[in-house]
Amino acid sequence: GIELIKGPLLSWQHLDFNFKRPSLADINVRKAIASAIDRSILIKAQGGFPEAIKSPVVPVFDFYDPNTPEIAYDVEAAKKLLEDAGYKPGGDGIREKDGERLSYTFMVQAGRADDELAQQVIIAQLKAIGIEATADNKTGVAYREARYKGGYDLIYGRWITSADPVYSVFWGTGGANNGQSYSNPALDAAFGKFENTLDPAVRKEAAAEFQKILAEDVPTISLTTNVALIAKTKKLKDFVPNPTNMTNFVNSSPWYLE
C-alpha cells in the first residue's frame, strides 16, 4: 500500500519589489501592499497546506525570532497609508502621485499553477486598495533573466535553502539573487555578522537583527511556508523527509524495503 507523509520544508513564498520603480522605493507603498494581503486566503486557495509566516527564516530554524515585527492584514490601514503619502485615486480608481500611477507588472513563473493562483488572489487584494497589478508571467530562460536582472515590478516566487542558509544572496547589496536593486547597509552588516561566525549566540542575535530590518524596511513580504507531501510505499522503512534544497534522496543509505 501507499502512505502519505507530511514533512517540513526550508522554503517560503514571498512577494518582492523592484526598487527601480520610484513608487516601490517608497516604504509607504510597500507597507500598504503588505497590509493589503490576506494570507489566509492564499492558504485556502492552495488547499490549506501552506502556513502563514512573517519572516524568511522559517520557524523550524532555532534562530527564527518569534518577536519579529509583523504588518497585519488591514485594508483600511493600507488605504490610509497611501492617502497620507499623497497617492490619490484617479478616475479609474487606481492611485497616483506626481504623474506615476500605482500600476505594476507582476511576474510569477508561468506554468506553476499554485503561483499563478496566488498571483490572482494578490491582484484582487491590491485592487481593493487602488493598486493595479497586471500578470506578466514568463518561463524558462526568460523567467530566469527577468528574476535575476529585475525585469518586473512585483514578483511572487519561492526560495528554498540549505540547512545552513546564506540570506545575503537574496537581499544583500549585490547579492547573486538580488534582482530588486535593493541595498541597506545596516542589513548588510547584520548578514555579515550572521554568516561569519560559528558562535550560536552571536548568530541568533544577528538573525534577530536582520529579521527585524527586513520586517521594518519591507523589501520583501514573507507570506507562507510549505510542507512536503510525500507518497511512499509502506514497505520502505527508515525514510525521513529532507526539508532542504538537497531533495529527499540526500540521505537514503538507511532506507530498506521490508
Side-chain angles (χ1 to χ4, degrees), residues 88-96 101:
K88 306 298 182 184
D92 59 356
I94 305 305
R95 294 179 184 271
E96 56 184 81
R101 298 173 75 245

Side-chain angles (χ1 to χ4, degrees), residues 175-194:
N177 296 340
N178 182 355
Q180 303 175 238
S181 299
Y182 175 69
S183 178
N184 183 325
L187 183 62
D188 292 338
F191 283 150
K193 284 191 285 185
F194 176 77

Side-chain angles (χ1 to χ4, degrees), residues 14 16 107 109 112 142-152 155-159 177-180:
H14 52 94
D16 293 346
M107 186 177 77
Q109 186 171 358
R112 298 194 74 153
Y143 174 78
R144 181 179 176 83
E145 288 289 307
R147 182 173 199 170
Y148 292 114
K149 295 184 179 180
Y152 56 82
I155 180 171
Y156 173 92
R158 63 190 69 198
W159 295 117
N177 296 340
N178 182 355
Q180 303 175 238

